[in-house]
Amino acid sequence: MIRTGKIAGMFAVLAIFAAMLCSAAPAGAADISLSYANFPPAKTFPCVQMERWKQEVEKRTNGKVLVQTYPGSTLLGAKNTLRGVMQGQADIGCISLAYHPGVFPLCSVFELPLGFTSATSASLALWDLYEKYQPEEFKKVKVLTMFASAPSNLMTKTPIRTLEDIKGMELRASGILSKILESLGATPVSMPMSATPEALQKGVVKGLFSSFEVLKDLNFAEICRYETVTNSAVYPFAIIMNMNSWNALPDDVKKIFNDLGREQAEWTGQYMDQHVKDSLDWSKEKYGIELVTLSDADMKIVREKTMPLIEDWKEKATAAGIDGAAVLTDVEAARQKYEAQ
Ligand code: 3IO
């Protein structure tokens, strides 16, 4: 009886193994499957870069790693991705730092009006800053890459031709970029990009402050026919990974992910800069949008009114134990280096 039971048990174990092999591991299937949460719609640049990263990872690991992508807040939304990734509801997630005021006292320096003219230079400078400082604010996650949007501009339903026109206007932004709007006399309404289409539709806001590629990708050109050029601050992003998921990866995969960090930052910046041009051409063609430029005098006022935000940032950074002056000096050096390229 005992003997029979043992053999039966062994068969049962074998049967379970056979079932596992058949159901979960068809020939050539991935050993590792990772979920990747993203908040905006699939067409937008954070999701385009996500698909590019997935492709590169699957190629470079010869299919050993499979990345399951979830665009459009289908796994985690804009404001719960940070917590969701830390808790393991997704292995990887995309966050816009400006949606978390006070949480990133160091990297939020990139939300300031520092004069970056492209997403490429800002993305490379942001990645350099991250690598140099390895900031405390990210210590609970693994940062896979970082990048920035292109400089921000005003996209509005009615034209902003002078700084007078912006007074009291409800405009969507986030983080320090909302403070930029406030210092210009607008009424900022902070919300994630993923909530903006509805807010524009309902009239909760009269426009937004972000990079121009959304005119096409979110069809904002249809509702915001006036685009006032300010070339203001960028929005910094981070792609974060759950620490346990990261620690469980084999060394060869970790190396592939690490090697992709800077490359992905640059790829995304370059994609964004090209896409801003495509989006403006498309918006002129399809909706006849008007590009408005402010006078030199108004641009000077913009610089003067937003300058105190840099001092504010430095004070908050110092309070968080960061050498704000050193960070600003490093970012400015990186800006000059990458803008010259
Ligand atoms: C952005 C965020 C999501 C999708 C497309 C985008 N283009 C520029 C941004 C930055 C921004 O405005 C934001 O809210 O993070």
Side-chain angles (χ1 to χ4, degrees), residues 39-40 44-46 96 99 149 172 193 210-211 213-214 235 237:
F39 64 92
T44 61
F45 91 100
S96 176
Y99 302 174
S149 66
R172 175 272 158 186
M193 184 61 88
S210 186
S211 47
E213 96 293 347
V214 290
Y235 284 83
F237 287 73

Side-chain angles (χ1 to χ4, degrees), residues 52-53 56-57 60 256-264:
R52 189 268 175 181
W53 189 85
E56 288 302 315
V57 164
R60 294 177 195 197
I256 288 166
F257 284 17
N258 281 333
D259 289 348
L260 260 168
R262 187 174 197 281
E263 184 189 319
Q264 184 72 15

Side-chain angles (χ1 to χ4, degrees), residues 6-311:
K6 224 179 195 176
I7 289 167
M10 274 165 62
F11 270 110
V13 169
L14 278 175
I16 290 167
F17 269 114
M20 278 168 61
L21 279 171
C22 291
S23 65
D31 301 339
I32 301 163
S33 180
L34 299 172
S35 57
Y36 189 150
N38 219 324
F39 64 92
K43 275 199 272 182
T44 61
F45 91 100
C47 292
V48 172
Q49 73 76 36
M50 168 170 76
E51 295 303 328
R52 189 268 175 181
W53 189 85
K54 165 194 164 80
Q55 256 185 11
E56 288 302 315
V57 164
E58 292 179 353
K59 194 165 74 192
R60 294 177 195 197
T61 62
N62 298 312
K64 190 161 92 169
V65 175
L66 184 88
V67 183
Q68 203 77 49
T69 58
Y70 295 87
S73 299
T74 47
L75 181 58
L76 290 167
K79 291 206 177 188
N80 58 22
T81 300
L82 175 58
R83 189 171 7 122
V85 167
M86 289 199 299
Q87 294 177 348
Q89 288 158 274
D91 296 304
I92 302 169
C94 171
I95 56 169
S96 176
L97 305 194
Y99 302 174
H100 306 275
V103 176
F104 303 104
L106 196 147
C107 289
S108 58
V109 68
F110 272 85
E111 296 167 41
L112 292 168
L114 300 176
F116 282 95
T117 65
S118 77
T120 307
S121 58
S123 297
L124 288 170
L126 173 58
W127 184 245
D128 281 359
L129 187 78
Y130 175 76
E131 289 222 295
K132 175 168 178 178
Y133 286 86
Q134 302 280 321
E136 185 76 9
E137 63 211 38
F138 282 111
K139 75 170 194 303
K140 288 187 179 142
V141 292
K142 164 70 182 177
V143 177
L144 295 174
T145 188
M146 294 187 84
F147 49 80
S149 66
S152 294
N153 296 291
L154 296 158
M155 296 165 253
T156 52
K157 296 183 181 185
T158 56
I160 298 174
R161 301 191 189 281
T162 73
L163 286 180
E164 271 311 303
D165 298 332
I166 202 175
K167 295 267 149 68
M169 199 188 269
E170 294 95 348
L171 297 171
R172 175 272 158 186
S174 263
I176 297 178
L177 284 94
S178 286
K179 294 189 187 170
I180 294 175
L181 293 179
E182 191 174 31
S183 61
L184 298 178
T187 302
V189 185
S190 295
M191 68 180 81
M193 184 61 88
S194 37
T196 307
E198 194 182 323
L200 276 170
Q201 211 66 48
K202 288 188 172 163
V204 172
V205 295
K206 309 286 186 292
L208 74 151
F209 188 44
S210 186
S211 47
F212 276 149
E213 96 293 347
V214 290
L215 289 171
K216 181 179 184 189
D217 295 344
L218 294 169
N219 202 33
F220 288 158
E222 183 180 26
I223 194 161
C224 299
R225 298 290 170 97
Y226 301 93
E227 331 303 343
T228 302
V229 178
T230 52
N231 286 321
S232 188
V234 301
Y235 284 83
F237 287 73
I239 305 303
I240 54 172
M241 184 167 183
N242 176 275
M243 204 47 112
N244 293 329
S245 304
W246 167 256
N247 287 331
L249 292 176
D251 286 348
D252 59 332
V253 173
K254 281 185 180 162
K255 180 171 172 10
I256 288 166
F257 284 17
N258 281 333
D259 289 348
L260 260 168
R262 187 174 197 281
E263 184 189 319
Q264 184 72 15
E266 185 168 35
W267 187 92
T268 306
Q270 288 174 348
Y271 168 79
M272 169 59 107
D273 289 328
Q274 181 55 47
H275 203 55
V276 163
K277 294 186 186 127
D278 296 344
S279 166
L280 283 171
D281 289 345
W282 180 89
S283 304
K284 280 177 203 158
E285 169 81 14
K286 185 159 170 86
Y287 294 111
I289 56 139
E290 185 186 345
L291 269 189
V292 180
T293 48
L294 294 171
S295 68
D296 290 347
D298 269 352
M299 286 302 280
K300 185 161 174 271
I301 295 171
V302 169
R303 277 193 297 276
E304 285 165 4
K305 290 205 165 163
T306 57
M307 208 52 84
L309 292 172
I310 298 178
E311 242 359 88

